[in-house]
Amino acid sequence: MSSHSSATAASRFTTIDRERWAHLGTEIQMPLSEAELQALRGLGETTDLAEVQQIYLPISRLLNLYVNAASSLNHMTNDFLGTSQRKVPFIIGVAGSVAVGKSTTARLLQALLQRWPSTPKVQLVTTDGFLYPNEELKRRGIMHRKGFPESYNRRALLEFVSAIKSGQPQVFAPKYSHLYYDILPDERIEVTAPDVLILEGLNVLAPAGAEGPETSDLTLSDFFDFSIYVDARTEDIQSWYVDRFLSLRSSAFTNPDSHFRRYAELTDEQAIEVATGIWKSVNEVNLVENVLPTRARAHLILEKGSDHSVQRVFLRKN
């Protein structure tokens, strides 16, 4: 972290080093097998079972405490008001840069939370589905700013999360394809009254008004019960992004239907140049201008080292 953000962390967050944090999970039995972890791990991620035991199990334990406390408060409030008991889903936001590993973090937490008795039903939705379709992005002249706050259908996203929080039994989210690099018009993701909903995306912690002209007093994080920011040095994230781009040349990019098929035949040198160019002109700009400033809004910050492993945890004091 920079000196400024370190000062912020010192005042608003409790800083916990890896060794101390790992101790919080020693009494919890490891519920994941190597095969299960392999299926959850993202491309380029090096998360191993030790990392799950030392970092993610304690987070799941902490979240379980928060879920139970929220449920208890909800019951007491309903008793006070004399109203019928209604289950209110617990919503977790997971934010961070492209290529920082937030998707793996979200999937791991989903898998771990499902194993706690109080939260058997955990659903995961990414905000990618709420990007405007490419046709609309082109019409607005912001195709080059895909992933920036203004490229999302903010109204639809707020309505979706509001419907989940209000306890609607069935809510649908649009589905995004990374292969086609666009929304799939005929497919939807169904969310059915979960115990916990994890919402993962670049800008889920953006304050109200960050999305441009279509503003209101409400923002996504108003609906969150807990939020996590996955952090790392910008130089490290760039390196991970370029490495992932190189790996995709021989996997997803080779698919004839891939939006990025044209990159499959690039040499290493060409691929590094293209990936670095995309990072510098799009992803780093979005990170610095929009994503990074939301870090201090999180309840928990996971700070990664250059090897992708979490080195420190910052837990908000209040």
Side-chain angles (χ1 to χ4, degrees):
M1 285 191 171
S2 67
S3 57
H4 173 73
S5 57
S6 293
T8 302
S11 60
R12 297 192 62 194
F13 293 84
T14 298
T15 305
I16 308 162
D17 63 31
R18 183 186 177 99
E19 184 178 356
R20 181 178 159 211
W21 184 261
H23 183 69
L24 301 174
T26 53
E27 297 178 5
I28 314 172
Q29 187 174 356
M30 166 58 74
L32 290 182
S33 67
E34 180 61 47
E36 288 171 319
L37 176 58
Q38 181 68 31
L40 296 170
R41 202 161 36 210
L43 186 64
E45 282 287 320
T46 57
T47 310
D48 56 17
L49 289 175
E51 177 97 342
V52 175
Q53 178 78 51
Q54 296 169 7
I55 301 297
Y56 295 99
L57 269 178
I59 297 174
S60 76
R61 179 187 180 192
L62 178 66
L63 288 171
N64 184 59
L65 294 173
Y66 271 80
V67 171
N68 290 336
S71 177
S72 178
L73 180 60
N74 182 53
H75 281 300
M76 288 188 286
T77 303
N78 286 331
D79 287 342
F80 171 74
L81 295 172
T83 55
S84 59
Q85 299 294 333
R86 176 178 61 83
K87 185 176 81 170
V88 179
F90 189 92
I91 301 183
I92 302 168
V94 178
S97 171
V98 167
V100 78
K102 64 184 179 300
S103 296
T104 297
T105 294
R107 288 191 294 266
L108 279 170
L109 292 178
Q110 179 187 24
L112 294 172
L113 284 171
Q114 285 172 338
R115 287 159 168 82
W116 286 94
S118 57
T119 54
K121 190 175 182 182
V122 184
Q123 293 188 257
L124 169 61
V125 173
T126 71
T127 57
D128 293 340
F130 293 91
L131 284 161
Y132 285 116
N134 289 351
E135 186 177 338
E136 177 63 17
L137 292 174
K138 291 172 184 174
R139 189 187 71 79
R140 294 180 179 223
I142 56 172
M143 185 68 182
H144 63 294
R145 289 177 69 82
K146 194 170 192 175
F148 284 67
E150 66 270 22
S151 65
Y152 293 88
N153 186 338
R154 179 177 173 277
R155 183 189 300 271
L157 191 46
L158 284 171
E159 288 176 352
F160 168 77
V161 180
S162 177
I164 298 291
K165 201 65 176 172
S166 67
Q168 288 191 26
Q170 187 181 52
V171 185
F172 293 96
K175 191 170 184 180
Y176 185 81
S177 167
H178 286 278
L179 179 67
Y180 296 107
Y181 196 59
D182 204 355
I183 304 298
L184 298 173
D186 301 322
E187 294 191 41
R188 297 187 298 175
I189 297 168
E190 182 182 11
V191 179
T192 52
D195 300 308
V196 176
L197 173 74
I198 300 173
L199 187 68
E200 177 252 304
L202 291 166
N203 298 295
V204 296
L205 292 177
E211 294 83 358
E214 296 177 13
T215 60
S216 78
D217 293 335
L218 266 183
T219 191
L220 272 183
S221 58
D222 291 332
F223 297 96
F224 294 167
D225 298 282
F226 198 88
S227 54
I228 297 169
Y229 186 95
V230 185
D231 194 24
R233 293 168 66 244
T234 303
E235 308 92 280
D236 289 334
I237 307 175
Q238 176 182 331
S239 175
W240 301 337
Y241 176 82
V242 172
D243 288 345
R244 187 173 74 176
F245 189 94
L246 291 173
S247 298
L248 286 169
R249 281 180 310 162
S250 57
S251 54
F253 290 174
T254 62
N255 189 312
D257 295 325
S258 173
H259 176 81
F260 299 104
R261 178 70 182 86
R262 62 190 182 279
Y263 297 141
E265 305 303 326
L266 295 179
T267 65
D268 283 357
E269 186 178 345
Q270 291 170 330
I272 291 170
E273 183 179 354
V274 169
T276 302
I278 296 172
W279 171 262
K280 288 292 185 184
S281 62
V282 180
N283 296 307
E284 184 176 15
V285 176
N286 195 19
L287 171 60
V288 173
E289 292 182 358
N290 302 305
V291 183
L292 199 53
T294 71
R295 175 175 53 192
R297 293 169 57 83
H299 293 92
L300 187 79
I301 301 171
L302 300 178
E303 186 183 81
K304 288 187 167 188
S306 57
D307 64 350
H308 257 298
S309 66
V310 175
Q311 299 300 311
R312 290 195 295 177
V313 176
F314 297 86
L315 179 62
R316 196 195 291 179
K317 295 175 181 176
N318 50 38

